[in-house]
Amino acid sequence: MRKLIVAVALVVGLTTFAQGKKGDGKGRMTPEQQVEVVLKKMTTELSLDAKQQDEVKAILVEQSKKRETKKEEFKARKEKGDKPSDEEIAAMKKNRIDEELAMKNKMKKVLSEDQYKKWTEAKKDRIEKFKGKGKRGAKPVDGE
């Protein structure tokens, strides 16, 4: 009986080990693929014409490159174990706000008034949708 239990435990352990990690990186899109998906979604939601698609794609590619550069810098810094100071965090927040404002201005030049309004509303909706994500086990507290 004891041998049977050990054998079953061994088989269960091996089968779960053989399945591998859940988040092993497979299925992730490249930055170029992400740009294409966002562009297609914007084209359908905002009815972009060909010229607008080209201009929006250029904006999205530029934004993607900046994001990848910052991601690599952050990754290198994290590997060193170097944590940013309060001043650096404040500067990063300011830069993020400045870049967001620049993005809005670029999009305003490319999109019509109606398209820009739809784009900003959709952006607000996405922010609200993902606001609570990332907080593991966080439960809403009454009054908040």
Side-chain angles (χ1 to χ4, degrees):
M1 184 69 176
R2 191 179 298 174
K3 288 182 182 180
L4 180 64
I5 293 173
V6 170
V8 169
L10 236 166
V11 169
V12 170
L14 288 175
T15 56
T16 56
F17 181 75
Q19 290 176 359
K21 294 181 185 175
K22 190 173 186 177
D24 58 355
K26 293 181 182 177
R28 288 201 170 176
M29 292 190 287
T30 64
E32 294 82 18
Q33 290 171 328
Q34 291 173 355
V35 166
E36 289 299 321
V37 168
V38 170
L39 183 63
K40 285 181 184 178
K41 191 172 185 178
M42 286 180 72
T43 300
T44 56
E45 289 177 357
L46 304 176
S47 303
L48 300 178
D49 61 26
K51 182 182 176 189
Q52 286 176 321
Q53 286 180 19
D54 292 339
E55 292 173 353
V56 168
K57 184 175 183 176
I59 293 169
L60 293 174
V61 166
E62 177 186 345
Q63 186 183 36
S64 177
K65 286 180 183 177
K66 285 181 182 178
R67 188 181 314 115
E68 285 299 313
T69 303
K70 287 181 182 180
K71 187 177 178 182
E72 292 300 319
E73 289 172 3
F74 187 75
K75 196 175 190 180
R77 193 172 192 163
K78 188 176 180 182
E79 286 175 359
K80 290 180 185 176
D82 187 20
K83 292 189 178 184
S85 66
D86 290 341
E87 294 84 24
E88 290 173 323
I89 291 172
M92 285 187 260
K93 286 180 182 179
K94 182 185 177 299
N95 287 340
R96 188 177 69 231
I97 291 169
D98 290 344
E99 288 174 10
E100 189 174 333
L101 184 62
M103 172 76 167
K104 285 182 180 181
N105 288 334
K106 289 177 186 177
M107 293 301 283
K108 201 173 214 177
K109 290 177 184 175
V110 174
L111 302 175
S112 69
E113 277 187 49
D114 290 339
Q115 289 172 328
Y116 182 76
K117 195 173 187 178
K118 284 181 185 177
W119 179 70
T120 54
E121 289 298 318
K123 193 171 184 173
K124 285 179 188 175
D125 291 344
R126 278 192 308 276
I127 290 170
E128 287 299 317
K129 182 179 176 185
F130 293 110
K131 209 170 195 174
K133 287 201 173 190
K135 298 177 182 176
R136 296 181 186 175
K139 295 181 183 176
V141 179
D142 292 340
E144 283 189 13

